[in-house]
Amino acid sequence: MKVKKAVIPAAGYGTRMLPITKAQPKEMVPVVHKPVIQYVVEEAYYSGIRDILIITGKGKRAIEDHFDRSDLPKKDKYVDELDRILEEVDIFFVRQKEQKGLGDAVRYAESFVDDEPFALLLGDTITFPPCTKELIHAYNRYKTSIIAVEEVPTERVSLYGIVACKEIENNVYLIEDLVEKPSVDEAPSNLAILGRYILTPEIFDCIHETKPGKSNEIQLTDALRILNTREKMYAYLFKGKRYDIGNKLDWLKANIEMALEDEEVGKEIREFIKSMGV
Ligand code: G1P
């Protein structure tokens, strides 16, 4: 079965981005020209997906408004690009009733997903080139759940879901276990889940069986751990760029790095940084 649907959870509080996120969703925080979630929707689109479900919640209405077709009097190339995508894509919304964790948020996608494999893209993460496209390619080969991972420095393992796995071919690993935000001592590797997944619909039964874990929340990683006892699961080592917009330092770094690469402002930003003599 082909991957035709994407689910984007965008329901988390964004506490690591306060006070920026006091009255706006963290997914609407700008990175150079666009809010983060626009990059995520575009990634799904450029990976061939045309049906997208965004899981929102309290205080997240700006996300829905952002994906309305614009009736602005002035033309803007980034708005036009989005409008063109919106011509081809159907975006659905559902609201998580209570913030009970990422696993609980994904549960709301059950009827949208039905019995198909689907792409899951966390709404506060940007990847270049589109990681989802590479994951779908890998899924078509292995036909089972596959999760994108990246190597992180040891001191950062406690920020992410970490996988224990063994390499079976270039960049592809068979998952043996998964741990949500382990301490440095407990971490089975330094391969971190980066926020892009292709999952089979069996994940929903696993979420229903998942008890609250880290931070007393229903963790997706714990549900994946159950799924791993029922079907083979793979990790795909993503070699591209991944920006975590969920914390301030990484968000600032993403802005600088992406601005430097940008065709419109890159040259001037480079000159500006040089002129600062840092
Ligand atoms: C979530 C997941 C974690 C994953 C991370 C990627 O954590 O629970 O497994 O590694 O996203 O960004 P969060 O960042 O929402 O705390």
Side-chain angles (χ1 to χ4, degrees), residues 151-159 162 182-185 187 189-190:
E151 283 179 46
V152 294
T154 311
E155 65 274 14
R156 285 177 70 92
V157 289
S158 58
L159 298 174
I162 301 292
S183 65
V184 172
D185 299 339
S189 77
N190 66 340

Side-chain angles (χ1 to χ4, degrees), residues 209-238:
E209 290 169 38
T210 302
K211 306 264 176 313
K214 268 257 140 77
S215 314
N216 207 26
E217 292 184 343
I218 307 285
Q219 295 293 346
L220 179 64
T221 306
D222 293 341
L224 291 170
R225 196 170 197 197
I226 299 176
L227 186 62
N228 193 44
T229 63
R230 300 184 181 170
E231 62 178 44
K232 266 190 182 165
M233 277 172 55
Y234 293 95
Y236 172 76
L237 183 61
F238 180 60

Side-chain angles (χ1 to χ4, degrees), residues 16 102 122 124-125 159-161 180-181 193-195 197 219 221 242 244:
R16 282 172 290 173
L102 180 59
L122 302 194
D124 61 359
T125 297
L159 298 174
Y160 300 111
E180 180 66 6
K181 304 195 174 93
I193 299 173
L194 65 79
Y197 316 71
Q219 295 293 346
T221 306
R242 180 258 179 174
D244 180 358

